[in-house]
Amino acid sequence: LLAMARPDILERVATLAERFLPSRFRGRLAGMATRFLGGLQSLRQPGQALKVMAVSLAVWTCESLMAFILARSFSLGLGPAPYFMATAAANLAISLPSSSGGIGPFEFFAARSLELFGVGAEPATAFAIALHAALLVPVTLLGLAFLWWRNLSLGEALRRPAGETIASSSPGEQA
């Protein structure tokens, strides 16, 4: 909210922080801040911001309910609130740059969150790994199936310029 209201503050902080980075990374942080602020521009419209918040709330609620349902198979014996917290902690952890798919930080913060509610380290970690797999594997397989359906290799999809779409070609054709 602060970045939307006062984008100049974020730009100044990024420029100041760049002074402490190695020379090869200078110039990148300010560019990232500029792109981030550009992405926030659509949220300046109240109607658009409400839509984004509603969709975010729905997605996080569904993910938390999925965690609660999965946890029942682990017999962890907690109500739904700890799983909402674990989901929030895990998702916030992977919002920072980390490994592909957030593997590692997601599991760490989800498990540690459940430990706060008395779940042992081993069952909490096993649950966090199962939850992350349940979230990542279907989406990954769906993405690979889409590439196959569009007759695209993963390498070709990654080489496409930003903003170029593949929607114009029909299924089975080379885009």
Side-chain angles (χ1 to χ4, degrees), residues 57-121:
L57 180 64
V59 168
W60 279 47
T61 300
C62 289
E63 189 174 329
S64 297
L65 289 173
M66 179 182 170
F68 177 65
I69 292 167
L70 179 67
R72 295 184 54 88
S73 68
F74 281 79
S75 301
L76 297 179
L78 300 174
Y83 303 106
F84 278 72
M85 182 178 150
T87 299
N91 284 326
L92 289 172
I94 65 172
S95 68
L96 299 172
S98 66
S99 60
S100 291
I103 296 171
F106 183 97
E107 290 78 8
F108 178 82
F109 284 97
R112 297 302 82 77
S113 295
L114 293 179
E115 287 178 38
L116 294 173
F117 292 92
V119 176

Side-chain angles (χ1 to χ4, degrees), residues 12-94:
R12 276 191 262 146
V13 168
T15 302
L16 179 65
E18 281 188 332
R19 294 179 185 171
F20 301 101
L21 294 175
S23 60
R24 67 176 187 235
F25 295 115
R26 290 190 183 133
R28 293 183 185 181
L29 190 58
M32 288 171 57
T34 300
R35 288 190 300 279
F36 175 75
L37 292 169
L40 291 178
Q41 290 307 309
S42 64
L43 297 178
R44 288 181 158 276
Q45 302 166 7
Q48 190 70 15
L50 284 173
K51 288 177 190 175
V52 168
M53 287 192 304
V55 170
S56 295
L57 180 64
V59 168
W60 279 47
T61 300
C62 289
E63 189 174 329
S64 297
L65 289 173
M66 179 182 170
F68 177 65
I69 292 167
L70 179 67
R72 295 184 54 88
S73 68
F74 281 79
S75 301
L76 297 179
L78 300 174
Y83 303 106
F84 278 72
M85 182 178 150
T87 299
N91 284 326
L92 289 172
I94 65 172

Side-chain angles (χ1 to χ4, degrees), residues 120-134:
E122 291 83 7
T125 301
F127 164 77
I129 291 168
L131 176 63
H132 204 186

